[in-house]
Amino acid sequence: MSLTPTRVPATGVRRLTTTLYGYAFLDDFVLLYPVYALLFADTGMSLWQISSLFALWSITAVVLEVPSGALADAVSRRLLLWIGPLFNAVGFALWVTVPAYWSFALGFVLWGVGGALCSGSLEALAYDELDRLGGADRYARVMGRVRAARLAATMASIGLAGPVFALGGYPLVGAGSVLACLLAAVAATRLPEHRERPETWGDGWGRTLRTGLAVVREDRSVRGALLLIPAVAAVWGALDEYTPLLIRDTGVAETTVPYLILLVWTLVTAASLLTGPAERLGTTGTAWLLAGSALALAVGAGLRTPAGIALVGLAFGGFQLAEVLADVRLQHRIDDSRRATLTSVAGLGTELVTVATFGAYALLGTRAAHSTVFAVLAVPYLVTALVLARGRRG
């Protein structure tokens, strides 16, 4: 549904985008990110216990992803965006005040709940508010900068975690993480929301979910746009977890690994800022972007040198760019009353394919080097590029 006004108030757009960027930065500015695995190990957790915690986190996200999206279409999206960080804050506080397996598990469940509440809600609110202001065509540029803000926050937290930890250990790192979550919740309350009451408002998330999924079954263009998101986002998102192992195999010193990781994420962040101009690529251009990034990933991993890692960073940047473009494609094809639901369905698909990629990596990695596995997992992107190109010709 288009709510385009006759005039576009520039101050409204600035308020919306500034608040979105601040919220995204604070939401990912978590000093515990680079050290929470160390916290688990220092508490005496075995490798099996730590792995089970990660699995619990993923399972929580999978179970709640779609229902939370339907909830965001049935109630205020801004409400969920400020409640979500509060769940995260409670979980992080538990970790550092009562370090034990049960508190780590509960913290991951709370983190999963908080992430699920915000997943889909942010994209839906941003698109609808831009549309109301007559700026729906700016969505790609805005969401690219939102991704860049999140990546900048992650890099900043990696850089600051060490000094903060040296100053006050896990308690101070945890306190900083809780503070960032509380500030994110405050920022969310400043987000504008002028959403019209949908016809299903008050009917409950169950009906909203059923009607949203019906759109996927009935509309082929929506279904294709929805499937494209996990096809683009999942594999490189999983490979990111193994990038430190790939870097270490190049033979660099252990102390050099963080700097090369920072290089990779700097390139990904830079790519996020190009989403506005990249929207003009169209379907054929996106196919070429995926194909070129896949080749860069395979060649870069195969070189097993620092220069090759730079190519991997360029590939990740290309995939990040294509991921935002896939989200834009989906948002343009769905109406505001089902926006969060269908965005969360895409998120669920991404989670499931990511888990499958972890399994494939474990299977391939038992018999091959990390560089080989990276190259093999570039193939799905070539397939996706081919499907896009053929679909465009059709």
Side-chain angles (χ1 to χ4, degrees):
M1 177 185 297
S2 177
L3 304 174
T4 306
T6 55
R7 296 180 62 194
V8 180
T11 54
V13 173
R14 283 197 299 270
R15 177 194 169 191
L16 171 64
T17 55
T18 301
T19 310
L20 282 172
Y21 303 151
Y23 174 83
F25 183 91
L26 291 168
D27 193 41
D28 269 19
F29 186 66
V30 179
L31 297 179
L32 277 168
Y33 278 163
V35 299
Y36 63 70
L38 301 179
L39 170 62
F40 303 157
D42 290 346
T43 307
M45 299 296 103
S46 66
L47 181 59
W48 181 89
Q49 287 176 311
I50 294 175
S51 299
S52 69
L53 292 172
F54 292 154
L56 181 61
W57 188 20
S58 297
I59 290 169
T60 303
V62 168
V63 171
L64 296 179
E65 180 72 38
V66 176
S68 65
L71 179 64
D73 281 332
V75 301
S76 166
R77 292 159 181 166
R78 180 173 57 193
L79 173 67
L80 300 185
L81 287 173
W82 71 259
I83 289 178
L86 298 182
F87 277 92
N88 301 346
V90 174
F92 297 150
L94 274 174
W95 284 1
V96 295
T97 56
V98 194
Y101 183 82
W102 70 267
S103 65
F104 297 150
L106 180 57
F108 268 123
V109 170
L110 291 171
W111 196 357
V113 172
L117 290 175
C118 299
S119 176
S121 301
L122 183 67
E123 293 85 353
L125 184 145
Y127 189 94
D128 286 346
E129 288 300 310
L130 285 170
D131 190 32
R132 183 185 68 85
L133 295 168
D137 59 329
R138 306 184 190 186
Y139 177 78
R141 185 184 307 111
V142 169
M143 292 311 295
R145 291 174 179 174
V146 166
R147 302 285 182 99
R150 290 190 180 279
L151 293 169
T154 300
M155 291 189 292
S157 65
I158 292 173
L160 289 175
V164 173
F165 183 83
L167 185 64
Y170 293 118
L172 187 57
V173 171
S177 301
V178 170
L179 177 60
C181 292
L182 296 178
L183 291 175
V186 172
T189 64
R190 306 298 301 165
L191 286 168
E193 186 176 30
H194 301 84
R195 184 178 171 214
E196 291 186 345
R197 291 173 67 92
E199 296 178 359
T200 56
W201 192 291
D203 289 345
W205 66 266
R207 178 178 174 184
T208 304
L209 176 58
R210 289 192 299 272
T211 54
L213 294 178
V215 173
V216 179
R217 293 193 300 269
E218 298 167 2
D219 192 325
R220 183 177 179 181
S221 67
V222 171
R223 186 165 61 249
L226 190 148
L227 291 173
L228 181 61
I229 292 178
V232 172
V235 174
W236 86 270
L239 288 178
D240 164 54
E241 302 295 335
Y242 300 97
T243 303
L245 301 177
L246 177 70
I247 294 174
R248 188 171 62 183
D249 277 1
T250 63
V252 298
E254 295 284 343
T255 54
T256 306
V257 173
Y259 296 107
L260 289 176
I261 292 175
L262 188 61
L263 170 64
V264 169
W265 285 106
T266 299
L267 293 171
V268 175
T269 304
S272 297
L273 298 175
L274 299 175
T275 50
E279 193 174 9
R280 296 193 292 268
L281 289 174
T283 301
T284 302
T286 302
W288 279 108
L289 174 64
L290 286 173
S293 299
L295 291 175
L297 176 63
V299 172
L303 288 176
R304 304 180 71 172
T305 63
I309 298 303
L311 276 178
V312 172
L314 287 174
F316 281 3
F319 297 143
Q320 168 81 326
L321 193 58
E323 184 179 338
V324 177
L325 296 179
D327 176 52
V328 172
R329 176 191 292 255
L330 176 64
Q331 301 301 332
H332 284 333
R333 284 165 169 75
I334 53 182
D335 66 83
D336 58 348
S337 64
R338 304 288 174 260
R339 192 173 306 282
T341 300
L342 296 181
T343 303
S344 290
V345 170
L348 172 62
T350 301
E351 291 285 351
L352 292 174
V353 178
T354 299
V355 172
T357 304
F358 285 145
Y361 198 105
L363 182 63
L364 295 170
T366 57
R367 301 180 179 180
H370 293 291
S371 57
T372 303
V373 180
F374 268 66
V376 170
L377 291 177
V379 173
Y381 285 109
L382 293 174
V383 174
T384 301
L386 180 61
V387 170
L388 276 177
R390 294 186 63 179
R392 176 61 178 169
R393 287 198 296 270

